[in-house]
Amino acid sequence: MPAPALRIRGLRKAFPKVVAVDGVDLEVARGEVFGLLGPNGAGKTTTLEIIEGLTSADAGSIEILGLTWEQQGQEIRSRIGVQLQSTSLFNKITPREALDLYGSYYPKRRGTQELLDLVQLEEKADAYHVTLSGGQQQRLALAMALVNDPELVFLDEPTTGLDPQARRSLWDVVRRMKGEGRTVVLTTHYMDEAEALCDRLAIMDHGKVIATGTPASLISELAIPSVVELTFEGAAPEPAAFAARLGQAVERRADLWEIPTPDPKTLLPRLLEAAEAAVVPFQQVHVRRATLEDVFLHRTGRSLRE
Amino acid sequence: MEWRLYARDRVAMFWTMAFPVLLLLGFGTIFRDGGGPKLSVVRVQSAVQSPHDAALDQALTDLQLKVQTLTKAEAEARWSRGETAAQVEPDGEGYRLRLNSYLMAQAGATAGLVNQAWLMAQARMSGAPEPQRIPVQVESPGHKRSTNYASFLLPGLLGLNLVSMGLFSVGMVNVSYREKGKFRRLAVTPLPKWIFLLGQVLHRLTITVVQAAILILVGRLVFGIQNQGSFSHLLLIMTLGTGCFMAFGFALSGFAETSEGYAAISNLVFFPLMLLSGVYFTLDAAPAWLQHTVALLPLAPFLRALRAVFNDGAGLAGHGLGLAIVAAWGFAAFLLAVRRFRWS
Ligand SMILES: Nc1ncnc2c1ncn2[C@@H]1O[C@H](COP(=O)(O)OP(=O)(O)O)[C@@H](O)[C@H]1O
Ligand SMILES: [Mg+2]
């Protein structure tokens, strides 16, 4: 049985003012798309950059494709593909030149044309890097991560800052990587992205992994798999008094109240009755299944988006 | 705001504020021993000591010139090494004053004093009814006289361009690219550092050779300046020099965190290198230990070889050791550069 794509034990990294990574253990199997989900500052980038050999760790062990940095650094570099959170290239390099150039650093390489096709950059193949849109630059960075036909690909927030359409097209590329048998490790702070792309994921907060599993198992492990939402016109009012009357926790979001519940069927009549009695000026009622967002909220008491 | 950021960059702050002061203290200490900076002149002995000679020597000393009396052969050797700025030698009945074409500022001032001394000597002897001046002749260490002063400037300019390109431009670009994270993507590829750096040096080398070619061509077309030596020798010297000073720049960039820090560090190296190499003025007034130390710096042998080939049409025979010094510095700097290089 081959070694796992990635095995990390007790990874730790402290910066002068903050412990960015605080005892992280991870194991990623070959062929899987693995996500690190967490808010900004959770330590995702730091974790990834330690694994990629860009940052040194204070403690912990890392095994990549059964190799270690101390002994097989060059081999690791030639077998992994990396997309950094921000890839700074020379302004006047074209995608075609960048792929040719970076390909030339590796013993094994994929054709530039094939990569341009894969990320749909043919029309922009000879335009200067500065003139590309954010989405096009991200697609180029993705193609560069594949230039050496890597077994294991690291993508740091591949879709942050992109419009929905550009995000979908990047998701397709990631799925194609998986289809080609590569292992993908990506970070994101979008729960929909984690749900849509990842076979398994680790939720990170304050440098720690607070939960690991498949998206479905993480959600079903929640004691409260449903959420009732009351929406308001404009800002939602302070829910404390109402929560006391209802005898149930009520969370206020911008323009709605969220009431997590294991049993929406019995909650709803009570809820509507209480709302009418208290003259709560709500507009609509929704019942929805819990999401990864609720998992995060439940575990940390904070929202992923904040 | 700028000020606050500036104050936070301790290294830059320290060097920009403290460096000029240190420079002053350093030079002040070095040159203080002589009781004031003395201009010096080489005095070639006459075959037979005449009363004129005695009077001239007395007057030179009275005018606070530092006189070094040498035999004709000794003086000649020193002149060829380019260490003499001004030299008084007997010529028939009178004297002749030879000035080094590369040290004109210093030599010019000396020439003024020497002539004044000679007028004084003649007046004291009151034998000569009509006071005469000593004829002046400007020459390179290789005895080339040119009516065209620009021709003496050109090789110095070539060299200076290359040194400043290495120390300032190359190193600075390296640091600022690193600051902007332009190398981080390279760090995750298997490309070895030394190949990357070597590539950079070779790339710069090509640029400098093209630059030099343009400068030489313009010098020729506009001022009619000819390269007196062989172009292949010139290319060899330029290659060694470029390699050396580019590697210097890369090595220094490994010691700076920020571009401001680099500006300070490169000045720290550049000024002493320029001022102490004996290229712009001789170090007669400096203590002997310093003169021996600076003889091992790479700038002087490089410029000397460049000037000798370009202006005097010399071969490389006399410059083997000097060029070996340049190459050794270049190699050491390159090793240091590879050791200190960081991708981010
Ligand atoms: N080079 C650094 N120096 C100091 N602090 C850093 C550095 N890089 C990251 N941090 C801090 O470490 C924490 C984790 O950052 P990061 O790994 O970038 O999080 P994420 O990628 O999840 O947004 C943050 O608090 C951040 O401010
Ligand atoms: Mg990040």
PDB file of all heavy atoms in Angstrom, chain B residues 144 151 154-155 158 216-217 219-220 224-235 305-314:
ATOM      1  N   LYS B 144      50.900  56.987 -22.364  1.00  0.00           N
ATOM      2  CA  LYS B 144      50.141  57.492 -23.503  1.00  0.00           C
ATOM      3  C   LYS B 144      49.778  58.936 -23.217  1.00  0.00           C
ATOM      4  O   LYS B 144      49.287  59.269 -22.139  1.00  0.00           O
ATOM      5  CB  LYS B 144      48.863  56.670 -23.698  1.00  0.00           C
ATOM      6  CG  LYS B 144      49.065  55.472 -24.596  1.00  0.00           C
ATOM      7  CD  LYS B 144      49.132  55.911 -26.028  1.00  0.00           C
ATOM      8  CE  LYS B 144      49.394  54.829 -27.021  1.00  0.00           C
ATOM      9  NZ  LYS B 144      50.487  53.956 -27.020  1.00  0.00           N
ATOM     10  N   SER B 151      39.286  60.508 -23.663  1.00  0.00           N
ATOM     11  CA  SER B 151      39.751  59.140 -23.866  1.00  0.00           C
ATOM     12  C   SER B 151      40.247  58.536 -22.552  1.00  0.00           C
ATOM     13  O   SER B 151      40.213  57.337 -22.362  1.00  0.00           O
ATOM     14  CB  SER B 151      40.848  59.097 -24.919  1.00  0.00           C
ATOM     15  OG  SER B 151      42.009  59.710 -24.411  1.00  0.00           O
ATOM     16  N   LEU B 154      36.994  57.445 -20.501  1.00  0.00           N
ATOM     17  CA  LEU B 154      36.118  56.382 -20.968  1.00  0.00           C
ATOM     18  C   LEU B 154      36.264  55.053 -20.228  1.00  0.00           C
ATOM     19  O   LEU B 154      35.275  54.514 -19.750  1.00  0.00           O
ATOM     20  CB  LEU B 154      36.281  56.198 -22.477  1.00  0.00           C
ATOM     21  CG  LEU B 154      35.144  55.376 -23.042  1.00  0.00           C
ATOM     22  CD1 LEU B 154      34.266  56.194 -23.953  1.00  0.00           C
ATOM     23  CD2 LEU B 154      35.650  54.148 -23.731  1.00  0.00           C
ATOM     24  N   PRO B 155      37.478  54.524 -20.086  1.00  0.00           N
ATOM     25  CA  PRO B 155      37.555  53.246 -19.361  1.00  0.00           C
ATOM     26  C   PRO B 155      37.096  53.360 -17.908  1.00  0.00           C
ATOM     27  O   PRO B 155      36.458  52.447 -17.394  1.00  0.00           O
ATOM     28  CB  PRO B 155      39.032  52.860 -19.429  1.00  0.00           C
ATOM     29  CG  PRO B 155      39.744  54.004 -20.008  1.00  0.00           C
ATOM     30  CD  PRO B 155      38.779  54.946 -20.607  1.00  0.00           C
ATOM     31  N   LEU B 158      33.414  53.157 -18.010  1.00  0.00           N
ATOM     32  CA  LEU B 158      32.992  51.767 -18.233  1.00  0.00           C
ATOM     33  C   LEU B 158      33.017  51.003 -16.918  1.00  0.00           C
ATOM     34  O   LEU B 158      32.069  50.301 -16.566  1.00  0.00           O
ATOM     35  CB  LEU B 158      33.956  51.066 -19.190  1.00  0.00           C
ATOM     36  CG  LEU B 158      33.819  51.297 -20.686  1.00  0.00           C
ATOM     37  CD1 LEU B 158      34.915  50.529 -21.411  1.00  0.00           C
ATOM     38  CD2 LEU B 158      32.465  50.820 -21.148  1.00  0.00           C
ATOM     39  N   ILE B 216      31.570  52.474 -26.135  1.00  0.00           N
ATOM     40  CA  ILE B 216      32.803  52.531 -26.922  1.00  0.00           C
ATOM     41  C   ILE B 216      32.514  53.062 -28.324  1.00  0.00           C
ATOM     42  O   ILE B 216      33.250  53.883 -28.877  1.00  0.00           O
ATOM     43  CB  ILE B 216      33.457  51.131 -26.991  1.00  0.00           C
ATOM     44  CG1 ILE B 216      33.993  50.764 -25.605  1.00  0.00           C
ATOM     45  CG2 ILE B 216      34.572  51.104 -28.021  1.00  0.00           C
ATOM     46  CD1 ILE B 216      34.508  49.353 -25.490  1.00  0.00           C
ATOM     47  N   LEU B 217      31.393  52.617 -28.867  1.00  0.00           N
ATOM     48  CA  LEU B 217      31.022  53.046 -30.217  1.00  0.00           C
ATOM     49  C   LEU B 217      30.751  54.550 -30.250  1.00  0.00           C
ATOM     50  O   LEU B 217      31.247  55.269 -31.135  1.00  0.00           O
ATOM     51  CB  LEU B 217      29.778  52.275 -30.670  1.00  0.00           C
ATOM     52  CG  LEU B 217      29.464  52.373 -32.159  1.00  0.00           C
ATOM     53  CD1 LEU B 217      30.540  51.642 -32.953  1.00  0.00           C
ATOM     54  CD2 LEU B 217      28.095  51.782 -32.451  1.00  0.00           C
ATOM     55  N   GLY B 219      31.856  56.766 -28.128  1.00  0.00           N
ATOM     56  CA  GLY B 219      33.142  57.423 -27.893  1.00  0.00           C
ATOM     57  C   GLY B 219      33.930  57.544 -29.180  1.00  0.00           C
ATOM     58  O   GLY B 219      34.566  58.563 -29.456  1.00  0.00           O
ATOM     59  N   ARG B 220      33.826  56.532 -29.985  1.00  0.00           N
ATOM     60  CA  ARG B 220      34.585  56.521 -31.220  1.00  0.00           C
ATOM     61  C   ARG B 220      33.973  57.462 -32.251  1.00  0.00           C
ATOM     62  O   ARG B 220      34.671  58.239 -32.892  1.00  0.00           O
ATOM     63  CB  ARG B 220      34.602  55.101 -31.758  1.00  0.00           C
ATOM     64  CG  ARG B 220      35.395  54.963 -33.013  1.00  0.00           C
ATOM     65  CD  ARG B 220      35.659  53.503 -33.250  1.00  0.00           C
ATOM     66  NE  ARG B 220      36.581  53.361 -34.346  1.00  0.00           N
ATOM     67  CZ  ARG B 220      37.337  52.299 -34.511  1.00  0.00           C
ATOM     68  NH1 ARG B 220      37.280  51.325 -33.643  1.00  0.00           N
ATOM     69  NH2 ARG B 220      38.141  52.229 -35.535  1.00  0.00           N
ATOM     70  N   GLY B 224      36.069  60.315 -31.415  1.00  0.00           N
ATOM     71  CA  GLY B 224      37.200  59.689 -32.088  1.00  0.00           C
ATOM     72  C   GLY B 224      38.120  58.928 -31.142  1.00  0.00           C
ATOM     73  O   GLY B 224      39.319  58.821 -31.377  1.00  0.00           O
ATOM     74  N   ILE B 225      37.557  58.416 -30.033  1.00  0.00           N
ATOM     75  CA  ILE B 225      38.383  57.673 -29.093  1.00  0.00           C
ATOM     76  C   ILE B 225      38.556  56.242 -29.587  1.00  0.00           C
ATOM     77  O   ILE B 225      37.585  55.550 -29.867  1.00  0.00           O
ATOM     78  CB  ILE B 225      37.729  57.647 -27.701  1.00  0.00           C
ATOM     79  CG1 ILE B 225      37.513  59.061 -27.196  1.00  0.00           C
ATOM     80  CG2 ILE B 225      38.577  56.850 -26.731  1.00  0.00           C
ATOM     81  CD1 ILE B 225      36.655  59.128 -25.967  1.00  0.00           C
ATOM     82  N   GLN B 226      39.804  55.810 -29.658  1.00  0.00           N
ATOM     83  CA  GLN B 226      40.080  54.468 -30.153  1.00  0.00           C
ATOM     84  C   GLN B 226      40.458  53.545 -29.008  1.00  0.00           C
ATOM     85  O   GLN B 226      41.152  53.960 -28.093  1.00  0.00           O
ATOM     86  CB  GLN B 226      41.290  54.520 -31.106  1.00  0.00           C
ATOM     87  CG  GLN B 226      41.093  55.357 -32.329  1.00  0.00           C
ATOM     88  CD  GLN B 226      40.567  54.541 -33.496  1.00  0.00           C
ATOM     89  OE1 GLN B 226      40.323  53.346 -33.355  1.00  0.00           O
ATOM     90  NE2 GLN B 226      40.370  55.191 -34.621  1.00  0.00           N
ATOM     91  N   ASN B 227      40.010  52.305 -29.092  1.00  0.00           N
ATOM     92  CA  ASN B 227      40.531  51.305 -28.178  1.00  0.00           C
ATOM     93  C   ASN B 227      41.931  50.930 -28.650  1.00  0.00           C
ATOM     94  O   ASN B 227      42.110  50.462 -29.762  1.00  0.00           O
ATOM     95  CB  ASN B 227      39.611  50.085 -28.183  1.00  0.00           C
ATOM     96  CG  ASN B 227      40.209  48.924 -27.413  1.00  0.00           C
ATOM     97  OD1 ASN B 227      41.083  49.112 -26.578  1.00  0.00           O
ATOM     98  ND2 ASN B 227      39.735  47.732 -27.703  1.00  0.00           N
ATOM     99  N   GLN B 228      42.946  51.156 -27.780  1.00  0.00           N
ATOM    100  CA  GLN B 228      44.326  50.919 -28.191  1.00  0.00           C
ATOM    101  C   GLN B 228      44.699  49.449 -28.062  1.00  0.00           C
ATOM    102  O   GLN B 228      45.676  49.004 -28.646  1.00  0.00           O
ATOM    103  CB  GLN B 228      45.278  51.749 -27.333  1.00  0.00           C
ATOM    104  CG  GLN B 228      44.973  53.228 -27.325  1.00  0.00           C
ATOM    105  CD  GLN B 228      45.204  53.870 -28.670  1.00  0.00           C
ATOM    106  OE1 GLN B 228      46.066  53.436 -29.440  1.00  0.00           O
ATOM    107  NE2 GLN B 228      44.420  54.888 -28.998  1.00  0.00           N
ATOM    108  N   GLY B 229      43.948  48.721 -27.259  1.00  0.00           N
ATOM    109  CA  GLY B 229      44.320  47.335 -27.012  1.00  0.00           C
ATOM    110  C   GLY B 229      43.481  46.364 -27.824  1.00  0.00           C
ATOM    111  O   GLY B 229      42.788  46.758 -28.756  1.00  0.00           O
ATOM    112  N   SER B 230      43.538  45.093 -27.428  1.00  0.00           N
ATOM    113  CA  SER B 230      42.778  44.107 -28.181  1.00  0.00           C
ATOM    114  C   SER B 230      41.380  43.981 -27.573  1.00  0.00           C
ATOM    115  O   SER B 230      41.205  44.069 -26.360  1.00  0.00           O
ATOM    116  CB  SER B 230      43.508  42.762 -28.146  1.00  0.00           C
ATOM    117  OG  SER B 230      42.824  41.868 -27.304  1.00  0.00           O
ATOM    118  N   PHE B 231      40.407  43.814 -28.446  1.00  0.00           N
ATOM    119  CA  PHE B 231      39.033  43.745 -27.960  1.00  0.00           C
ATOM    120  C   PHE B 231      38.785  42.478 -27.146  1.00  0.00           C
ATOM    121  O   PHE B 231      37.963  42.461 -26.243  1.00  0.00           O
ATOM    122  CB  PHE B 231      38.039  43.838 -29.122  1.00  0.00           C
ATOM    123  CG  PHE B 231      37.756  45.260 -29.506  1.00  0.00           C
ATOM    124  CD1 PHE B 231      38.370  45.836 -30.608  1.00  0.00           C
ATOM    125  CD2 PHE B 231      36.893  46.035 -28.743  1.00  0.00           C
ATOM    126  CE1 PHE B 231      38.120  47.158 -30.949  1.00  0.00           C
ATOM    127  CE2 PHE B 231      36.634  47.361 -29.072  1.00  0.00           C
ATOM    128  CZ  PHE B 231      37.252  47.918 -30.179  1.00  0.00           C
ATOM    129  N   SER B 232      39.520  41.426 -27.472  1.00  0.00           N
ATOM    130  CA  SER B 232      39.288  40.194 -26.707  1.00  0.00           C
ATOM    131  C   SER B 232      39.809  40.352 -25.275  1.00  0.00           C
ATOM    132  O   SER B 232      39.201  39.864 -24.326  1.00  0.00           O
ATOM    133  CB  SER B 232      39.943  38.994 -27.399  1.00  0.00           C
ATOM    134  OG  SER B 232      41.322  39.202 -27.488  1.00  0.00           O
ATOM    135  N   HIS B 233      40.923  41.093 -25.109  1.00  0.00           N
ATOM    136  CA  HIS B 233      41.395  41.374 -23.754  1.00  0.00           C
ATOM    137  C   HIS B 233      40.375  42.211 -23.002  1.00  0.00           C
ATOM    138  O   HIS B 233      40.090  41.971 -21.832  1.00  0.00           O
ATOM    139  CB  HIS B 233      42.736  42.121 -23.793  1.00  0.00           C
ATOM    140  CG  HIS B 233      43.866  41.260 -24.221  1.00  0.00           C
ATOM    141  ND1 HIS B 233      45.103  41.736 -24.549  1.00  0.00           N
ATOM    142  CD2 HIS B 233      43.930  39.920 -24.386  1.00  0.00           C
ATOM    143  CE1 HIS B 233      45.889  40.735 -24.884  1.00  0.00           C
ATOM    144  NE2 HIS B 233      45.198  39.620 -24.804  1.00  0.00           N
ATOM    145  N   LEU B 234      39.846  43.185 -23.705  1.00  0.00           N
ATOM    146  CA  LEU B 234      38.860  44.073 -23.103  1.00  0.00           C
ATOM    147  C   LEU B 234      37.651  43.260 -22.644  1.00  0.00           C
ATOM    148  O   LEU B 234      37.143  43.422 -21.533  1.00  0.00           O
ATOM    149  CB  LEU B 234      38.433  45.101 -24.157  1.00  0.00           C
ATOM    150  CG  LEU B 234      37.909  46.428 -23.647  1.00  0.00           C
ATOM    151  CD1 LEU B 234      38.969  47.110 -22.816  1.00  0.00           C
ATOM    152  CD2 LEU B 234      37.501  47.300 -24.823  1.00  0.00           C
ATOM    153  N   LEU B 235      37.222  42.348 -23.492  1.00  0.00           N
ATOM    154  CA  LEU B 235      36.056  41.522 -23.180  1.00  0.00           C
ATOM    155  C   LEU B 235      36.342  40.653 -21.953  1.00  0.00           C
ATOM    156  O   LEU B 235      35.504  40.520 -21.061  1.00  0.00           O
ATOM    157  CB  LEU B 235      35.714  40.647 -24.391  1.00  0.00           C
ATOM    158  CG  LEU B 235      34.416  39.852 -24.272  1.00  0.00           C
ATOM    159  CD1 LEU B 235      33.226  40.787 -24.231  1.00  0.00           C
ATOM    160  CD2 LEU B 235      34.273  38.866 -25.421  1.00  0.00           C
ATOM    161  N   ALA B 305      43.742  47.432 -15.106  1.00  0.00           N
ATOM    162  CA  ALA B 305      43.855  46.585 -16.289  1.00  0.00           C
ATOM    163  C   ALA B 305      43.028  47.153 -17.436  1.00  0.00           C
ATOM    164  O   ALA B 305      43.465  47.214 -18.587  1.00  0.00           O
ATOM    165  CB  ALA B 305      43.392  45.169 -15.958  1.00  0.00           C
ATOM    166  N   LEU B 306      41.834  47.615 -17.095  1.00  0.00           N
ATOM    167  CA  LEU B 306      40.936  48.151 -18.116  1.00  0.00           C
ATOM    168  C   LEU B 306      41.568  49.366 -18.795  1.00  0.00           C
ATOM    169  O   LEU B 306      41.598  49.484 -20.020  1.00  0.00           O
ATOM    170  CB  LEU B 306      39.613  48.542 -17.448  1.00  0.00           C
ATOM    171  CG  LEU B 306      38.418  48.805 -18.345  1.00  0.00           C
ATOM    172  CD1 LEU B 306      38.092  47.558 -19.139  1.00  0.00           C
ATOM    173  CD2 LEU B 306      37.217  49.206 -17.486  1.00  0.00           C
ATOM    174  N   ARG B 307      42.129  50.262 -17.979  1.00  0.00           N
ATOM    175  CA  ARG B 307      42.741  51.471 -18.531  1.00  0.00           C
ATOM    176  C   ARG B 307      43.985  51.138 -19.335  1.00  0.00           C
ATOM    177  O   ARG B 307      44.222  51.715 -20.399  1.00  0.00           O
ATOM    178  CB  ARG B 307      43.124  52.415 -17.387  1.00  0.00           C
ATOM    179  CG  ARG B 307      41.930  53.117 -16.797  1.00  0.00           C
ATOM    180  CD  ARG B 307      42.303  53.785 -15.499  1.00  0.00           C
ATOM    181  NE  ARG B 307      41.291  54.749 -15.081  1.00  0.00           N
ATOM    182  CZ  ARG B 307      41.327  55.383 -13.920  1.00  0.00           C
ATOM    183  NH1 ARG B 307      42.320  55.173 -13.077  1.00  0.00           N
ATOM    184  NH2 ARG B 307      40.387  56.255 -13.618  1.00  0.00           N
ATOM    185  N   ALA B 308      44.775  50.202 -18.814  1.00  0.00           N
ATOM    186  CA  ALA B 308      46.020  49.867 -19.499  1.00  0.00           C
ATOM    187  C   ALA B 308      45.725  49.305 -20.881  1.00  0.00           C
ATOM    188  O   ALA B 308      46.366  49.673 -21.865  1.00  0.00           O
ATOM    189  CB  ALA B 308      46.822  48.864 -18.676  1.00  0.00           C
ATOM    190  N   VAL B 309      44.747  48.422 -20.954  1.00  0.00           N
ATOM    191  CA  VAL B 309      44.433  47.820 -22.246  1.00  0.00           C
ATOM    192  C   VAL B 309      43.818  48.865 -23.168  1.00  0.00           C
ATOM    193  O   VAL B 309      44.244  49.039 -24.312  1.00  0.00           O
ATOM    194  CB  VAL B 309      43.471  46.626 -22.079  1.00  0.00           C
ATOM    195  CG1 VAL B 309      42.919  46.189 -23.422  1.00  0.00           C
ATOM    196  CG2 VAL B 309      44.180  45.478 -21.397  1.00  0.00           C
ATOM    197  N   PHE B 310      42.852  49.602 -22.658  1.00  0.00           N
ATOM    198  CA  PHE B 310      42.103  50.494 -23.524  1.00  0.00           C
ATOM    199  C   PHE B 310      42.943  51.686 -23.984  1.00  0.00           C
ATOM    200  O   PHE B 310      42.977  52.027 -25.163  1.00  0.00           O
ATOM    201  CB  PHE B 310      40.845  50.995 -22.808  1.00  0.00           C
ATOM    202  CG  PHE B 310      39.903  51.722 -23.712  1.00  0.00           C
ATOM    203  CD1 PHE B 310      38.929  51.031 -24.410  1.00  0.00           C
ATOM    204  CD2 PHE B 310      40.003  53.097 -23.876  1.00  0.00           C
ATOM    205  CE1 PHE B 310      38.063  51.702 -25.260  1.00  0.00           C
ATOM    206  CE2 PHE B 310      39.138  53.765 -24.727  1.00  0.00           C
ATOM    207  CZ  PHE B 310      38.167  53.069 -25.415  1.00  0.00           C
ATOM    208  N   ASN B 311      43.654  52.328 -23.051  1.00  0.00           N
ATOM    209  CA  ASN B 311      44.359  53.550 -23.411  1.00  0.00           C
ATOM    210  C   ASN B 311      45.805  53.333 -23.810  1.00  0.00           C
ATOM    211  O   ASN B 311      46.348  54.069 -24.625  1.00  0.00           O
ATOM    212  CB  ASN B 311      44.321  54.543 -22.247  1.00  0.00           C
ATOM    213  CG  ASN B 311      42.984  55.247 -22.181  1.00  0.00           C
ATOM    214  OD1 ASN B 311      42.286  55.330 -23.177  1.00  0.00           O
ATOM    215  ND2 ASN B 311      42.635  55.725 -21.009  1.00  0.00           N
ATOM    216  N   ASP B 312      46.446  52.324 -23.188  1.00  0.00           N
ATOM    217  CA  ASP B 312      47.866  52.162 -23.444  1.00  0.00           C
ATOM    218  C   ASP B 312      48.148  51.020 -24.400  1.00  0.00           C
ATOM    219  O   ASP B 312      49.288  50.765 -24.733  1.00  0.00           O
ATOM    220  CB  ASP B 312      48.610  51.903 -22.129  1.00  0.00           C
ATOM    221  CG  ASP B 312      48.369  53.012 -21.125  1.00  0.00           C
ATOM    222  OD1 ASP B 312      47.998  54.121 -21.579  1.00  0.00           O
ATOM    223  OD2 ASP B 312      48.526  52.786 -19.917  1.00  0.00           O
ATOM    224  N   GLY B 313      47.093  50.304 -24.794  1.00  0.00           N
ATOM    225  CA  GLY B 313      47.283  49.194 -25.708  1.00  0.00           C
ATOM    226  C   GLY B 313      48.123  48.089 -25.095  1.00  0.00           C
ATOM    227  O   GLY B 313      48.809  47.359 -25.800  1.00  0.00           O
ATOM    228  N   ALA B 314      48.084  47.961 -23.758  1.00  0.00           N
ATOM    229  CA  ALA B 314      48.907  46.957 -23.095  1.00  0.00           C
ATOM    230  C   ALA B 314      48.306  45.573 -23.262  1.00  0.00           C
ATOM    231  O   ALA B 314      47.123  45.424 -23.563  1.00  0.00           O
ATOM    232  CB  ALA B 314      49.019  47.281 -21.611  1.00  0.00           C
TER     233      ALA B 314
END
